[in-house]
Each structure stands twice: as structure tokens, then as C-alpha cells.
Amino acid sequence: MIVYLNPFTGLAGDMLLGALLDAGASLDAVRQAVAETGLTGWRLDAERVRTGALTATRVRIEVADDATERPAARLITMAARTGLTVAESALTAIAEVEGALHGVPPAEVHLHELGGHDTLIDIVGCAAALRDLRVTRVHSAPLPLGGGTVHTRHGVLPVPAPATLALLKGARVRGGEAGEAVTPTGAALLHAMRTVYGPAPEMTLRATGYGAGGRELPDRPNVTVAMLGEPVAGESTQIVLSTNLDDVTGEVLGHVIERALAAGAADAWVTPAVMKKGRPAHVLHVLTSLELADDLQTLVFAETGSLGLRRGVVEKVALPRHVETVRLHGRDVRMKHGPWGVKPEYDDLAALARATGRPLRELTREAFDAL
């Protein structure tokens, strides 16, 4: 499933959770995931409220312990117990950003405003809701930045807060009115969900959810909108991983392509290139679904020793096709039919050529004649 987010007035962890629940996620599944963290002294409810001219779902969190300061490492460990990688990745991103801003190793980061029960509940809850809805792709419209200032443990800071801006690196943003439109928790979730920004992808719309924020605005509903849909058959968003290589042999490149395809890549190929200073090189490309992109990225790094790669989002359009089998020299040869022609399966012809000793081009002609 796909979720497309419209952060109408902004996005916070509780607003996203409310929108996902409103779109059909199970509140019991969310509560179960939070319980698996080992967190105690909390209660999570959701209620329908009116905000502006709309009704929406607002999340209510009650805690017995109102402490807001905890080590980030403790929250990460608790989230890891659930097996929800989005939750663990979001909290890890917060720790890394806070550490970089304050000159502290991520493992030693002590969260202040973000160290409370509600941060863990919002993040784990959103990750559990995505899992319950079977969401594999998240898209979003550009995010309103807000403006002004916010009071924190570190004093008065500009809005967006420095941590929020760091977490939004790579996101599409737009100007906004005064106030905090996107919270660090919301930004961390967008980062962990590997959100793609832009227009809504083509999909079959199944449900729409509205998540209410805590503020009441005088002229509009304070909501985040989540649209849940199914991908359109034959067309899907895919990721292209590309890296320039000038110190890898042809044998290694062939090995990486084979491993990538075996690991589920939709395609993998190499193109020749000339890099700076006239150095001959190759560009390795791997086409993959969003779900496999991280694993295949790790594979490329491990096999090539590359120190970086590029990730691009593309739309793959697959035409309808069907396979017909013909009998040739006692063996089956698959013939792939598409709207614009037919082609024999190379692997079948190559195996037949090895078995019979006949030239591949002759067998190709015979395959067409056998149709």
C-alpha cells in the first residue's frame, strides 16, 4: 500500500498517528507495539474531534511519569524490541542529529524535550500503524516550514528548530506562517520512512484519514491528511542506485550484477564512463523496489568498496505480456509476447544450442517458425 501525506498545516508525530488511525490502522495493534517496548505508566486513546470545519482523529496520551529527559540510547533500545525498523531508525536519526548539533557522540546524547513517553509512543505508534496498514511506500506534498522562535532547554531557538532542519535534509519544503509547523518527531518519522516528495503518485484510493493537532487555528482545521491507496497495476515507483567505479575489475562488476539480480533487483547494468582527469571507469546501476533499496545499497557498498552512491526515484511502466511455449528439438522454448511483438527467451535458446550444437541464430528462426 501507498500513503500520500498532505501536511495541510504541518506535521507532528501525534498528527501522523491520528491520520493513520483515521485511515483504518488498528488502535489495538498500536497499543500492542508500544507495550512491547517495555514502557510502563502510559495510556493511549484516540477520539473524534472537530477542528475547524472538519472532524478528525486526535491521539490522547496519558502518562504517570511526566519526565521529558532520557538518554537517546535507552529509547532506541526500547524501540528495537518491537522489530519496527522505522521506529528504531527515527530515534537513531534524532540521536545522530542532536549529537552533531551539540558536539556529543550519538551514544551519549541525552534528550531533553524529546525524551518523554510521548516521543516513544508517537514514533513506535506510527511505525506500528504503517505495518498494520501494510504500507510500503510513503509520499508527501512539500512541508510548511513555519517560523518565529521556540523556547527550549537550550534557550530560545529559531523555528524550524535546528534538529528539525537537520532531519529534513533532502525534503521538499515551502514557506509557512509563524509557529512550529513540523516537529522534530514528525521530521524524524519522515526521514525514517524514506519519504518521497512531490505530487501524489498514481494509485487507487482506498481510504483517507485526518489527524488533528493540539492547537486550534482561527481560520482553518489543524490537520495532517493521509491518503491510503494501492499501486496501479503495471506502474510502480522504483529506485535506481548508481555509483561511479574506476578501481573495480570486470569480473567483480559481473559478480555484483549477478548478486543484485539474485537478491531481487528488477535489473542491473553497467555503462562505460570517463571520469575526471580522463580516467576510464564504469557506472554501476541497480534498479530496485523501495523495499529492497537499502539491502541492495549495502550489497553494492560491500562488493565494490564504493564510498557513496546516488539514489534516484523513477516510475517504471510495465506493459502487459504473456508467455507461450513452443516445442523445439524435444525441448520447451518460452516465447514472450507483448503489445508490439514477440521474442524467444534467450536462456531457453542458449540451453538448446548447447544441447544440440546448433547455432543460436538458427534456433531463433526456428522458434519463430514454430509459433
Side-chain angles (χ1 to χ4, degrees):
M1 297 292 281
I2 302 170
V3 160
Y4 182 72
L5 301 175
N6 178 8
F8 180 64
T9 53
L11 188 137
D14 61 339
M15 295 174 73
L16 177 57
L17 179 54
L20 295 174
L21 291 170
D22 202 44
S26 165
L27 180 58
D28 287 339
V30 170
R31 288 171 173 154
Q32 177 61 34
V34 175
E36 290 172 3
T37 67
L39 189 68
T40 59
W42 58 274
R43 178 176 176 177
L44 173 63
D45 291 300
E47 61 180 354
R48 298 289 292 170
V49 299
R50 188 175 181 86
T51 171
L54 297 176
T55 56
T57 294
R58 177 174 292 159
V59 171
R60 295 290 189 187
I61 299 174
E62 299 178 10
V63 298
D65 177 4
D66 59 0
T68 61
E69 299 186 22
R70 284 180 178 82
R74 183 187 304 172
L75 296 183
I76 294 170
T77 298
M78 296 173 77
R81 295 170 183 162
T82 67
L84 294 165
T85 55
V86 166
E88 188 176 355
S89 296
L91 289 163
T92 299
I94 290 174
E96 291 174 347
V97 162
E98 291 285 354
L101 288 172
H102 302 297
V104 178
E108 299 177 13
V109 166
H110 197 87
L111 298 176
H112 299 291
E113 289 84 2
L114 294 175
H117 274 48
D118 53 348
T119 297
L120 185 65
I121 293 172
D122 285 345
I123 288 177
V124 170
C126 286
L130 290 169
R131 181 173 64 184
D132 186 65
L133 293 171
R134 299 184 180 180
V135 172
T136 57
R137 291 161 48 193
V138 178
H139 294 246
S140 177
L143 303 163
L145 283 179
T149 58
V150 61
H151 292 270
T152 74
R153 175 68 178 269
H154 300 287
V156 178
L157 294 175
V159 171
T164 301
L165 283 177
L167 289 162
L168 289 179
K169 183 179 179 180
R172 288 183 62 178
V173 299
R174 58 180 172 83
E177 299 179 2
E180 188 178 40
V182 180
T183 66
T185 300
L189 282 163
L190 291 168
H191 172 84
M193 295 183 300
R194 301 191 179 279
T195 303
V196 177
Y197 294 90
E202 187 174 356
M203 62 182 182
T204 302
L205 187 64
R206 295 304 183 197
T208 302
Y210 297 86
R215 292 183 301 160
E216 291 299 324
L217 303 179
D219 60 343
R220 72 198 72 179
N222 184 18
V223 294
T224 290
V225 186
M227 290 168 265
L228 184 69
E230 295 177 352
V232 176
E235 186 167 345
S236 62
T237 297
Q238 299 223 316
I239 304 296
V240 177
L241 310 176
S242 303
T243 183
N244 295 7
L245 303 167
D246 64 355
D247 58 353
V248 175
T249 67
E251 291 86 352
V252 170
L253 289 171
H255 172 70
V256 177
I257 289 175
E258 289 179 5
R259 281 210 61 195
L261 293 172
D267 202 355
W269 68 99
V270 169
T271 55
V274 177
M275 294 172 56
K276 61 185 178 182
K277 301 178 183 178
R279 294 201 303 268
H282 294 90
V283 183
L284 172 67
H285 311 269
V286 177
L287 179 67
T288 175
S289 65
L290 190 60
E291 295 85 351
L292 296 177
D294 287 349
D295 291 340
L296 286 165
Q297 175 177 295
T298 300
L299 185 153
V300 169
F301 283 142
E303 291 287 359
T304 67
S306 176
L307 296 177
L309 54 71
R310 298 171 295 281
R311 293 172 64 127
V313 179
V314 297
E315 287 293 327
K316 179 182 176 182
V317 179
L319 296 177
R321 80 285 308 269
H322 71 276
V323 175
E324 181 181 353
T325 301
V326 298
R327 195 72 176 170
L328 206 60
H329 299 288
R331 293 190 178 216
D332 288 337
V333 175
R334 290 168 292 173
M335 304 291 287
K336 187 180 294 183
H337 293 256
W340 310 108
V342 58
K343 180 181 179 182
E345 189 67 46
Y346 167 79
D347 289 341
D348 293 349
L349 287 180
L352 186 57
R354 289 191 296 268
T356 63
R358 298 174 64 85
L360 184 66
R361 59 179 182 166
E362 290 184 7
L363 293 174
T364 301
R365 287 196 300 265
E366 292 178 19
F368 281 110
D369 291 341
L371 282 174

